[in-house]
Amino acid sequence: MPKVIVCGRGGSGKSTLVTILAKSLSKRGKVLVVDTDESNLGLSRMLGQNQPEMSLMNSLGGKSVVREKLLASLKGEKTEQEGFFREDLYLDTLPSECVGWNGTIGNLRIGKIEHSNEGCACPMGSITRSFLKDLKVKENEWVITDTEAGVEHFGRGILEGADGIIMVVDTSYESILLAEKAKNLVDETNKKFFVVLNKVDDEVESTLRNELSARGVETGGVIKYSPDINKANFLGKSLETGMQGENVDELVSNIINVMS
Ligand SMILES: Nc1ncnc2c1ncn2[C@@H]1O[C@H](COP(=O)(O)OP(=O)(O)O)[C@@H](O)[C@H]1O
Ligand SMILES: [Mg+2]
């Protein structure tokens, strides 16, 4: 079953969509939510879960250890293993200190910025790439990856381990441009692509669909503006089924059809 990456501009609703998808898919099987956005503090709140004890980065020895390993491989020095993991990974056997399971939803953080001046995010990109590639997903299991804003992570190769990309587009010109750019980048790969409009009403939905279509980007689904989602998020409460309107089941089915 699929591993998907959710992207879009900052504030477009990536974490909201990740949560809605995770909660809906968890009724059908196991879902692992992977948080790769080092400045995303609210995702576990939206899921209504506690943060895992440790990030994957820290369980691998921390940023400096990971950075050393990357530098060694850049210099062509042989290390004891290729990639960061010795063998294939499975949802059932991930280190328990890195995954918080609540029923059938697990949440795992790649790493977070913990100190000022701690350096660039390259080690996190490398771990994400290696993790998604080595993670084996069985029937009725899903991996949903929440990303930082923009499309820079495309360049870090994290698409490699994923089956498809879901692009969240909100009501902004920047989102339209970003969707066009993402579509062009995805077209260079064999990955699937699905666009979700977020925070729209009927009128805006139609305008946004046309603007995207004129740029060769077709809309796959829609989440309407919901005062309940907005309120839950600013109060740091979990998102519950029903807050996102009636069309969410159809949206999730369409995503499953395209990504499977
Ligand atoms: N469908 C929606 N209706 C109303 N508000 C929304 C909706 N989707 C997202 N929001 C609001 O938009 C803001 C950004 O959402 P978030 O999911 O955190 O974005 P991102 O992860 O892309 O930065 C939040 O305050 C959230 O409450
Ligand atoms: Mg987010």
Side-chain angles (χ1 to χ4, degrees), residues 12-245:
S12 58
K14 297 179 291 297
S15 300
T16 301
L17 178 68
V18 165
T19 303
I20 290 172
L21 255 183
K23 292 206 169 185
S24 178
L25 290 168
S26 70
K27 294 180 203 143
R28 304 167 187 239
K30 266 192 174 172
V31 184
L32 179 71
V33 172
V34 179
D35 185 3
T36 69
D37 180 358
E38 63 264 26
S39 38
N40 200 5
L41 301 174
L43 180 61
S44 47
R45 283 294 193 89
M46 288 186 192
L47 289 164
Q49 295 187 199
N50 292 327
Q51 291 218 334
E53 215 176 292
M54 205 183 245
S55 67
L56 191 59
M57 167 93 74
N58 285 346
S59 85
L60 290 169
K63 206 174 202 177
S64 49
V65 171
V66 171
R67 192 181 283 122
E68 285 303 313
K69 186 154 188 228
L70 281 176
L71 285 174
S73 74
L74 281 175
K75 285 189 220 145
E77 290 167 13
K78 281 263 175 251
T79 50
E80 64 199 85
Q81 75 205 67
E82 291 298 321
F84 290 99
F85 307 99
R86 278 174 202 281
E87 47 204 31
D88 286 346
L89 302 165
Y90 293 91
L91 262 57
D92 298 328
T93 56
L94 292 171
S96 58
E97 68 276 14
C98 297
V99 198
W101 285 103
N102 182 1
T104 50
I105 304 183
N107 106 63
L108 174 144
R109 289 174 303 146
I110 299 292
K112 291 282 173 218
I113 292 180
E114 283 157 6
H115 305 285
S116 50
N117 299 322
E118 70 172 40
C120 79
C122 307
M124 296 195 205
S126 303
I127 294 177
T128 308
R129 184 172 61 219
S130 183
F131 178 71
L132 288 179
K133 262 175 72 179
D134 293 341
L135 185 60
K136 302 291 174 242
V137 182
K138 299 182 196 156
E139 183 82 26
N140 292 328
E141 291 182 346
W142 282 71
V143 177
I144 309 173
T145 304
D146 193 5
T147 60
E148 64 193 342
V151 289
E152 286 73 20
H153 42 282
F154 282 31
R156 295 191 200 121
I158 72 163
L159 301 198
E160 217 180 308
D163 300 292
I165 290 87
I166 303 174
M167 182 86 202
V168 184
V169 176
D170 70 353
T171 59
S172 69
Y173 188 58
E174 195 187 329
S175 264
I176 296 173
L177 295 183
L178 206 56
E180 185 181 18
K181 185 162 184 189
K183 163 86 168 56
N184 292 336
L185 291 170
V186 173
D187 279 350
E188 294 171 4
T189 70
N190 58 354
K191 309 295 174 187
K192 291 151 180 167
F193 189 60
F194 191 97
V195 171
V196 178
L197 310 187
N198 188 26
K199 303 193 232 184
V200 293
D201 59 21
D202 291 345
E203 192 191 334
V204 172
E205 176 187 337
S206 146
T207 313
L208 208 43
R209 275 181 188 269
N210 292 339
E211 288 293 326
L212 289 168
S213 191
R215 291 168 166 82
V217 180
E218 295 312 321
T219 299
V222 175
I223 303 172
K224 300 273 177 179
Y225 180 85
S226 152
D228 290 342
I229 292 183
N230 195 35
K231 191 167 173 197
N233 278 347
F234 84 69
L235 293 176
K237 294 197 169 150
S238 81
L239 296 185
E240 299 305 334
T241 319
M243 287 180 174
Q244 59 278 354

